[in-house]
Amino acid sequence: MSLELKNVEKKVGIETHIHPTSIKLEKNTINVLLGSTLAGKTTLMQIMAGLDKPTSGEIWFNGKNVTGMKVQKRNCSMVYQQFINYPNYTVYENIASPLTITGVKNNEIKQRVGKVAELLKLSAMLNKKPDELSGGQQQRTALARALVKDSDLILLDEPLANLDFKLREELREELPKLFEDRDCIVVYATTEPSDALMIGGNTATLLEGKVIQYGKTLEVYNRPENLISAKVFSDPPMNIAEITKSGDNCKFTDNDVQWKSSAKIKDGTYKIGIRPHNITTYKEGNNSVEINGKVQISELSGSESLIHFTNGSLNWVSLSNGTQQKNVGEDTKLYMNTDEFLYFDQNNRLVNNG
Amino acid sequence: MNKTINQKAWYFVIPVFVLVAFNAAIPLMTVVNYSFQETFGNNVFAWEGTRWFKQILLSERFHASLGRQFAFTFIILLIQIPLGIAIALTMPKKGWGVPVCLILMSMPLLIPWNVVGAMWNIFALPDIGFLGHSLNAMGFDYNFTQQPGDAWLTTILMDVWHWTSLVVLLSYAGLNSIQPAYYQAAEIDGASRWATFRYIELPKMKKVLTLAILLRFMDSFMIYTEPFVLTGGGPGNTTAFLSIDLVKMALGQFDLGPAAAMSLIYFFIVLLVCWVFYNLMMKNEAQS
């Protein structure tokens, strides 16, 4: 089983929503589409589902060209950011709805709904109507509807975005397990890099209607092909600065901070990307280097501290563990873990690859 | 802690109090006053107790006009609600067609009621009106001033023309508030057009439809101006709905006592039907 997009392009009027995209999703995989709002995640999913036709290009499913085939004829299901359920059906009827329509026998429906309801912890509320449920339960119902069908393709369009933090964490942990033993392709759209890391599988980074990079999630995260992919897959935003390298010595263009680099790259000027968690208020790794900063913003989020600081013309974000209280305007020392630096050439391609 | 006692704030309530008193309470109480008494003018009143209420409730004339009123309201609801929904469903959801349709739809609602009556009167006149003349030319024996069936048909047509737009606009607003994702979900499930309407659109329109039915019920149940101008309640009494009959009794015959009793009964019927209807429609909402 596989889903393949071949040079799929989507234009609406003169605007291009999806630039020519080729991507192949394999059986039994979870694929995360990661990108900000308007990156084209939803459009891409609607094309995959058959809800929308591509302007050009082809969609192949299981070695068959399904371009232009109606959504009803494909075996797919979709879960949305909004909690979409039939308002005057009970939870049971909602979950059963895709089966009733296709004429599955009553006994089988009962058994399948029961199984899925248990999996999603809905057994106790099968007789309730959607608007009597909490947001989390409504979304579980929508998920159950998607699962009960045994679709070949399950599309999840930011399913956790409208849930509050606790419910989101809870459901996010459960999600990969739900799809573990299923014979299907799962596509999961999200704006949150942390969602992608938690879910694992494969990730495609998207920006402005283009797929920037597609591969195993950790690979895309650790070795982004280029600066754009790295930026998309970084939250808080990645710190970027220009450096010059001569021999083993590296130096920022804008200040005097120096370090030794073992990266096997030619001398010259590069851009480096530093993820916020690699700049900390304490030393980490064997090759950390000190940098002075003036605190601009200091935020505590649970067990982490976010410190925005400036150094000359650089304007950076650091993320440290624990509660590190800093005052605005304070001069402070931070440490950068140089082992984790990502070096990009003038064409924004990653050069210290592996 | 010592609270300062200052009752001057009550003065601010006075304007509302006076307004409501003159606007609602005093006229209503006058009617209540009339309904229990007999008067021959000159401000002379005689106590009659519940005589007028009994008389009205037992009178055939009242039964007949009440029956006509319910029949009329029932028929126009039966036509306007489904027709309104159907038109709303076919209206465009985006593009230049939206403002055009909305303006066209609002037109009939902007025309004063007596003008609507006059328009339809002239339109339907059997000798010179476009509708009346055409129908007769086509061989139909149509004359709304003389044949009760034709009078009813014309009155109903006029009301449908005048008020279906309201149902359309409300339904259209209800339909537009449904997120596109619902339609997609139904499409993915393989639901038919009818199932989409029955299980998504109709439940999502429930609140605006309740409102539309209530408004149309109240308005049509109290209809006066349009049939008064169109048929004047005739031919005979065949289109004399409750309010027309009431005005005849109060101003035509100057039977103030019975007319007041009838007003109150009328008022309670409207109140009762609305209350029952609203509670039935909102029963499910209250449970959740």
Side-chain angles (χ1 to χ4, degrees):
Chain A
M1 194 191 293
S2 68
L3 174 73
E4 195 176 359
L5 304 187
K6 293 182 180 172
N7 275 318
V8 162
E9 188 180 21
K10 177 76 188 174
K11 283 184 181 168
V12 176
I14 51 160
E15 273 179 78
T16 306
H17 286 200
I18 300 287
H19 292 275
T21 296
S22 297
I23 194 170
K24 191 173 182 184
L25 310 178
E26 298 289 347
K27 168 185 178 172
N28 292 338
T29 52
I30 300 190
N31 305 280
V32 180
L33 301 180
L34 177 66
S36 57
T37 343
L38 294 179
K41 304 183 297 287
T42 305
T43 316
L44 211 52
M45 286 188 136
Q46 289 185 343
I47 289 173
M48 287 176 180
L51 286 162
D52 207 349
K53 274 187 206 157
T55 314
S56 64
E58 289 175 350
I59 302 142
W60 288 67
F61 196 80
N62 283 343
K64 242 174 61 190
N65 188 348
V66 294
T67 323
M69 187 192 269
K70 276 200 167 176
V71 62
Q72 289 94 329
K73 299 227 169 117
R74 304 191 194 183
N75 190 13
C76 69
S77 45
M78 192 154 177
V79 176
Y80 298 83
Q81 179 180 340
Q82 310 93 336
F83 316 133
I84 305 292
N85 294 301
Y86 295 102
N88 60 348
Y89 270 0
T90 61
V91 170
Y92 179 90
E93 289 167 327
N94 258 296
I95 302 175
S97 64
L99 303 177
T100 358
I101 285 167
T102 45
V104 178
K105 283 197 189 106
N106 262 337
N107 282 337
E108 200 191 330
I109 293 182
K110 216 171 188 177
Q111 188 216 331
R112 278 165 76 173
V113 173
K115 218 167 118 192
V116 174
E118 196 161 327
L119 202 62
L120 283 156
K121 300 173 189 161
L122 289 167
S123 306
M125 41 211 97
L126 284 176
N127 290 321
K128 290 193 174 173
K129 296 249 171 93
D131 54 1
E132 298 170 54
L133 304 177
S134 71
Q137 291 162 342
Q138 288 184 38
Q139 194 62 316
R140 281 166 188 276
T141 309
L143 271 167
R145 258 181 51 229
L147 287 179
V148 80
K149 214 172 143 189
D150 280 337
S151 320
D152 300 324
L153 178 64
I154 299 180
L155 302 159
L156 309 165
D157 192 357
E158 297 188 47
L160 308 180
N162 281 12
L163 292 172
D164 58 60
F165 189 71
K166 271 240 164 114
L167 286 169
R168 185 189 304 184
E169 299 276 284
E170 194 184 306
L171 210 51
R172 185 160 70 174
E173 274 171 36
E174 283 175 45
L175 271 176
K177 289 179 212 148
L178 289 178
F179 301 114
E180 239 165 34
D181 312 317
R182 278 175 186 271
D183 210 13
C184 65
I185 298 168
V186 180
V187 182
Y188 182 104
T190 181
T191 56
E192 309 254 344
S194 58
D195 274 5
L197 287 170
M198 193 89 141
I199 283 160
N202 302 319
T203 292
T205 46
L206 271 87
L207 185 81
E208 290 165 357
K210 283 185 203 132
V211 173
I212 309 296
Q213 185 180 359
Y214 175 68
K216 294 238 171 301
T217 300
L218 273 179
E219 249 163 61
V220 176
Y221 182 75
N222 289 328
R223 297 275 154 238
E225 268 172 23
N226 52 44
L227 192 57
I228 302 170
S229 185
K231 273 183 175 171
V232 171
F233 210 152
S234 186
D235 180 57
M238 182 171 269
N239 301 302
I240 293 154
E242 204 183 75
I243 63 150
T244 47
K245 179 174 186 286
S246 62
D248 279 352
N249 290 319
C250 294
K251 180 191 162 302
F252 286 108
T253 312
D254 292 338
N255 61 31
D256 294 329
V257 179
Q258 291 187 16
W259 69 96
K260 297 239 184 266
S261 168
S262 56
K264 294 177 190 76
I265 45 176
K266 281 186 266 176
D267 292 355
T269 51
Y270 293 94
K271 280 181 198 160
I272 60 161
I274 314 168
R275 292 192 196 277
H277 71 258
N278 289 322
I279 308 179
T280 45
T281 52
Y282 39 84
K283 280 188 185 178
E284 232 179 8
N286 297 324
N287 299 308
S288 68
V289 61
E290 195 181 291
I291 184 169
N292 293 315
K294 198 180 188 73
V295 177
Q296 298 297 315
I297 302 169
S298 168
E299 298 171 302
L300 299 178
S301 72
S303 58
E304 292 175 330
S305 311
L306 210 58
I307 300 166
H308 297 241
F309 66 95
T310 51
N311 175 302
S313 60
L314 298 174
N315 209 332
W316 278 359
V317 187
S318 76
L319 184 67
S320 312
N321 284 324
T323 47
Q324 318 278 348
Q325 198 78 52
K326 301 276 177 199
N327 296 322
V328 173
E330 186 182 330
D331 286 315
T332 184
K333 278 189 189 351
L334 294 119
Y335 301 90
M336 302 186 288
N337 186 354
T338 61
D339 291 340
E340 299 292 331
F341 283 6
L342 299 167
Y343 296 74
F344 299 94
D345 64 14
Q346 293 308 311
N347 298 319
N348 292 334
R349 303 205 69 78
L350 187 74
V351 282
N352 61 331
N353 214 334
Chain B
M1 201 172 80
N2 278 329
K3 253 191 187 171
T4 330
I5 294 173
N6 185 349
Q7 304 287 17
K8 284 201 185 103
W10 287 107
Y11 291 128
F12 288 108
V13 184
I14 290 176
V16 175
F17 190 79
V18 171
L19 206 70
V20 172
F22 277 95
N23 189 13
I26 294 174
L28 187 66
M29 287 334 281
T30 318
V31 174
V32 171
N33 190 28
Y34 281 147
S35 71
F36 291 103
Q37 305 188 61
E38 169 76 293
T39 176
F40 303 101
N42 285 338
N43 230 2
V44 180
F45 288 93
W47 179 254
E48 291 287 357
T50 56
R51 184 173 150 208
W52 303 133
F53 288 94
K54 284 181 194 148
Q55 185 186 319
I56 290 292
L57 284 172
L58 293 173
S59 88
E60 296 216 345
R61 176 175 164 183
F62 178 72
H63 293 166
S65 56
L66 185 66
R68 282 193 291 271
Q69 186 64 72
F70 270 116
F72 176 76
T73 297
F74 183 71
I75 292 170
I76 65 107
L77 281 180
L78 211 61
I79 297 172
Q80 288 178 6
I81 300 298
L83 184 64
I85 297 173
I87 294 174
L89 282 171
T90 54
M91 267 166 65
K93 290 221 163 119
K94 54 185 170 193
W96 57 268
V98 175
V100 172
C101 283
L102 287 180
I103 290 168
L104 279 178
M105 279 297 144
S106 338
M107 289 281 230
L109 298 175
L110 299 175
I111 301 173
W113 299 7
N114 52 351
V115 176
V116 172
M119 261 169 58
W120 277 81
N121 186 313
I122 297 165
F123 181 52
L125 279 175
D127 44 358
I128 55 162
F130 181 72
L131 177 74
H133 186 77
S134 309
L135 281 174
N136 280 304
M138 280 187 281
F140 293 101
D141 178 23
Y142 172 86
N143 188 340
F144 79 93
T145 57
Q146 279 165 24
Q147 292 156 16
D150 294 349
W152 269 76
L153 183 77
T154 316
T155 316
I156 286 166
L157 261 180
M158 174 183 66
D159 201 77
V160 167
W161 178 83
H162 194 181
W163 288 111
T164 304
S165 298
L166 182 75
V167 184
V168 174
L169 293 178
L170 285 169
S171 304
Y172 186 69
L175 281 172
N176 269 355
S177 69
I178 303 174
Q179 291 154 343
Y182 277 94
Y183 294 106
Q184 289 181 9
E187 221 180 308
I188 289 174
D189 278 355
S192 63
R193 182 69 192 86
W194 166 251
T196 310
F197 174 71
R198 172 69 187 78
Y199 296 110
I200 293 173
E201 291 174 327
L202 208 53
K204 287 270 164 193
M205 283 198 291
K206 190 178 163 188
K207 277 187 184 156
V208 283
L209 280 182
T210 307
L211 190 71
I213 295 175
L214 267 181
L215 281 174
R216 285 313 302 130
F217 168 77
M218 285 192 297
D219 260 358
S220 66
F221 205 78
M222 299 186 288
I223 192 168
Y224 176 74
T225 320
E226 299 143 284
F228 178 75
V229 177
L230 181 73
T231 64
N237 261 339
T238 46
T239 55
F241 303 121
L242 269 182
S243 56
I244 292 183
D245 201 30
L246 180 67
V247 173
K248 268 187 188 168
M249 189 183 287
L251 300 180
Q253 299 156 226
F254 215 70
D255 279 338
L256 287 187
M262 186 173 160
S263 303
L264 287 176
I265 294 167
Y266 195 173
F267 172 61
F268 282 119
I269 291 174
V270 174
L271 213 60
L272 185 75
V273 174
C274 286
W275 182 77
V276 169
F277 177 76
Y278 186 81
N279 277 294
L280 279 179
M281 291 292 273
M282 290 296 152
K283 210 168 141 194
N284 298 332
E285 307 287 315
Q287 279 169 358
S288 55

